[in-house]
Amino acid sequence: MKIYIINGANLNLLGKREPDIYGTDMLDSINNAITEEAAELGLDCEFFQLNHEGDIIEKLHEACENADGVVLNAGAYTHYSYAIRDAIKAIRKPVIEVHLSNVHAREDFRQISVIASVCRGTIAGFGKTSYVLALHALKDIL
């Protein structure tokens, strides 16, 4: 099974950007942990980090034809991108929303997700383990 791992805006700065909130793991380290777990689960992951909203939408559209499911950390787009929300709904593939930090314990605007209602589920607050848990969730529902 093919799983797209899509990371949104500013996630290329992990390890440098606010390590007290997002941790010290760089995106490559997170991707390596995902790859290891995916191999044990029999999943094939393809990784994308996209800073532009339209690029994320295009990748979701591509997932419609080329992936069985998606793990999505949309970053700040989570809180206001109705275009990404509509793309998730349109592709009719299971999408698991993930966040490194516990967004519900942060600023008020981060506690709102406009994509949650069209995602299969949300996992937040466990650092890179959020992604690993999302893989297990997808494996269970696919």
Side-chain angles (χ1 to χ4, degrees):
M1 287 182 278
K2 171 77 83 173
I3 307 299
Y4 274 16
I5 310 294
I6 302 175
N7 284 289
N10 298 312
L11 290 163
N12 55 307
L13 299 177
L14 288 175
K16 303 173 192 171
R17 176 183 174 228
E18 300 179 88
D20 54 315
I21 294 172
Y22 300 109
T24 56
D25 283 311
M26 298 182 79
L27 189 56
D28 285 343
S29 171
I30 293 169
N31 290 346
N32 288 337
I34 294 167
T35 299
E36 288 177 20
E37 191 70 19
E40 290 184 26
L41 294 171
L43 302 173
D44 178 26
C45 293
E46 199 167 332
F47 298 92
F48 307 96
Q49 190 283 311
L50 306 157
N51 285 315
H52 303 283
E53 183 178 30
D55 293 340
I56 295 170
I57 292 165
E58 291 293 331
K59 200 50 71 177
L60 287 165
H61 291 176
E62 182 183 305
C64 184
E65 300 296 324
N66 299 321
D68 298 295
V70 176
V71 174
L72 172 64
N73 184 342
Y77 291 125
T78 298
H79 314 294
Y80 67 89
S81 179
Y82 293 101
I84 291 175
R85 180 197 185 281
D86 290 348
I88 294 167
K89 188 173 181 181
I91 67 169
R92 304 179 64 91
K93 295 283 181 169
V95 176
I96 307 293
E97 174 187 4
V98 300
H99 300 283
L100 294 162
S101 68
N102 180 358
V103 292
H104 303 289
R106 297 190 56 203
E107 302 95 334
D108 288 346
F109 76 91
R110 292 190 197 277
Q111 296 176 28
I112 298 167
S113 170
V114 301
I115 67 173
S117 65
V118 293
C119 288
R120 189 64 183 264
T122 301
I123 301 170
F126 299 101
K128 68 181 170 188
T129 304
S130 293
Y131 291 88
V132 171
L133 293 169
L135 289 180
H136 282 270
L138 281 174
K139 176 73 175 183
D140 286 349
I141 63 175
L142 289 175

